Amino acid sequence: MKKVLLALMLAAGTVHTAQAEDVLHLYNWNNYIAPETVKNFEKSCKCRVVQDYYGAMEEMLAKLAAGAKGYDVVIPTGFAIPPMIKQNLLQPLDKSKLANAKNVSPAFMNTQFDQGNKYSLPYSFSTTLVGYNDKKIKELGINPSSWAIIFDPAVLAKIKGKVTVLDDSREVFAAALMYNGYSANSTKPEEWKKAQATIIKAKPFWAAFNGQSYIKELTLGNIWVAHGYSSDMFQANIDAKAAKRNFGVAYGLQKEGNTLSLDSMVVLKTAPRPDLAAKFVNFMLDGKNASELTNMIGTGTPNAAAAPFVKPEMKQNSAVFPSAEQMKKLQQLTALEGKALRDLNRMWTQVKTAK
């Protein structure tokens, strides 16, 4: 009798499998959502959030292209969206379930990466810059406002073994290109070669390529200079203060220019729970919830409704909210495909294997 009842339930679809649990799987940058925000979302939709992290866009794209499944929402940077659309990885957003989409500032909508926002809606933005141990860098008399702090051997000789750069080919090459006076999006072979030579010359002075644990290393004082994201430097400084270190983690934009990353929320075509995915996207587009990203994580917000909730000291942080003049020197990285992408990957491999 029990077997008959089970068969009837299966036929009716009333037996819930493990995948039908109320669990949202989020694939995101590390330290890119406040724990309190996750708890509030779980409480509001009576579900559980499981997070997985990546350290670079290339890592995320490679994993999904290789067939990784099980994620509902991913937070890609702008230039990663076109290849995700081209590979048929994303499902169109159901705007009827996203009433809070109206909160996004028009300045961050309809970008070149997703005209009409068919697949993505803005989450937050950050700048890629240099964070540093304020005490050590002051003692050594180093000017941190130039990319020379991670590329000039004469400067690096003072901090050898105490510097890390992101394990991210696009960001490291972009910094080297800007240091040499070129566009961060240049694909001219001669400019790429000069940037590569700059990187290879500086590499012996670096402790590591590190996109995952540099916050901790800065906080512990194991490294003095890190190439990374403004939100991570914000967190490192908070951690240093909490640990009552005798130094702070300072950060600021470089005079030659920096990259700006506008990260967005997308729902994968293979999402196990697109219903929860829509609830999460709409939840994060609420002004108060969006403001937590800025107040607790240190990111800029493209959400106009968040402004009243953003702390005044955050609005005054130029690395988080650059001035109009500084914005002119910020560049969003564009998508690389085909030969350009293959060439960059080849040059990056040469960088990694260079002695």
Side-chain angles (χ1 to χ4, degrees):
M1 183 61 191
K2 286 182 178 177
K3 289 182 178 177
V4 172
L5 181 60
L6 179 61
L8 290 171
M9 291 172 69
L10 285 169
T14 54
V15 171
H16 294 282
T17 65
Q19 281 193 326
E21 283 184 293
D22 289 329
V23 179
L24 174 83
H25 290 268
L26 177 63
Y27 193 25
N28 197 1
W29 294 98
N30 200 11
N31 298 305
Y32 208 24
I33 187 168
E36 290 82 353
T37 304
V38 173
K39 289 178 184 175
N40 290 337
F41 175 69
E42 290 176 328
K43 186 177 178 182
S44 74
C45 79
K46 296 180 174 56
C47 69
R48 186 163 57 91
V49 175
V50 175
Q51 296 191 68
D52 194 9
Y53 308 103
Y54 45 80
M57 279 297 92
E58 288 76 12
E59 176 188 341
M60 181 274 285
L61 289 170
K63 188 171 181 177
L64 294 181
K69 291 183 172 59
Y71 301 120
D72 294 294
V73 177
V74 184
I75 316 289
T77 299
F79 71 86
I81 294 175
M84 295 179 83
I85 296 172
K86 196 171 182 179
Q87 293 173 43
N88 202 27
L89 294 174
L90 308 182
Q91 60 176 280
L93 297 175
D94 183 351
K95 303 289 179 56
S96 69
K97 297 178 180 176
L98 304 172
N100 290 331
K102 66 181 185 303
N103 293 335
V104 181
S105 168
F108 294 95
M109 297 287 277
N110 291 309
T111 67
Q112 59 177 310
F113 306 112
D114 181 20
Q115 288 286 326
N117 292 92
K118 183 178 179 182
Y119 298 97
S120 65
L121 282 167
Y123 181 76
S124 70
F125 62 84
S126 60
T127 52
T128 306
L129 40 65
V130 171
Y132 55 94
N133 181 312
D134 57 1
K135 184 181 179 187
K136 287 291 182 183
I137 296 307
K138 185 177 181 181
E139 286 175 355
L140 294 168
I142 296 173
N143 178 2
S145 67
S146 166
W147 287 114
I149 194 171
I150 65 169
F151 289 127
D152 184 347
V155 176
L156 287 167
K158 301 178 182 178
I159 49 178
K160 185 175 182 179
K162 297 293 185 180
V163 182
T164 65
V165 298
L166 290 170
D167 192 5
D168 185 312
S169 59
R170 289 301 309 277
E171 290 287 6
V172 175
F173 263 82
L177 285 164
M178 289 185 284
Y179 175 58
N180 282 296
Y182 306 134
S183 164
N185 285 305
S186 172
T187 55
K188 295 178 180 176
E190 65 274 18
E191 295 182 359
W192 271 15
K193 283 181 181 177
K194 189 166 182 179
Q196 185 193 43
T198 296
I199 297 167
I200 290 175
K201 194 178 293 183
K203 184 187 167 189
F205 296 91
W206 298 341
F209 292 93
N210 186 344
Q212 295 282 0
S213 63
Y214 63 86
I215 296 177
K216 180 181 177 183
E217 298 300 324
L218 271 172
T219 303
L220 292 173
N222 293 338
I223 60 170
W224 299 339
V225 174
H227 168 229
Y229 304 105
S230 51
S231 54
D232 285 347
M233 303 311 173
F234 172 85
Q235 186 61 50
N237 191 40
I238 287 178
D239 292 348
K241 286 181 179 176
K244 298 182 178 177
R245 305 291 182 201
N246 65 349
F247 60 85
V249 175
Y251 53 103
L253 300 173
Q254 277 50 66
K255 66 180 183 182
E256 299 92 347
N258 298 73
T259 55
L260 180 145
S261 300
L262 175 63
D263 298 325
S264 296
M265 297 175 280
V266 299
V267 180
L268 294 183
K269 184 160 276 186
T270 56
R273 293 297 301 267
D275 55 331
L276 290 180
K279 288 181 179 178
F280 177 81
V281 172
N282 199 51
F283 181 87
M284 294 307 300
L285 292 172
D286 172 83
K288 191 169 187 305
N289 296 332
S291 73
E292 291 179 356
L293 273 170
T294 296
N295 293 332
M296 298 183 188
I297 306 298
T299 60
T301 178
N303 193 313
F309 305 103
V310 174
K311 295 177 181 176
E313 61 267 32
M314 293 304 299
K315 292 179 181 177
Q316 294 168 7
N317 186 329
S318 62
V320 178
F321 290 103
S323 67
E325 195 62 29
Q326 290 169 321
M327 285 292 285
K328 293 177 183 175
K329 288 190 173 183
L330 298 180
Q331 301 177 59
Q332 288 195 58
L333 294 175
T334 56
L336 288 183
E337 295 183 84
K339 183 178 183 302
L341 183 58
R342 290 194 298 275
D343 287 347
L344 178 65
N345 289 340
R346 175 178 50 77
M347 296 181 83
W348 184 243
T349 299
Q350 291 168 347
V351 165
K352 289 296 207 63
T353 56
K355 299 296 183 183

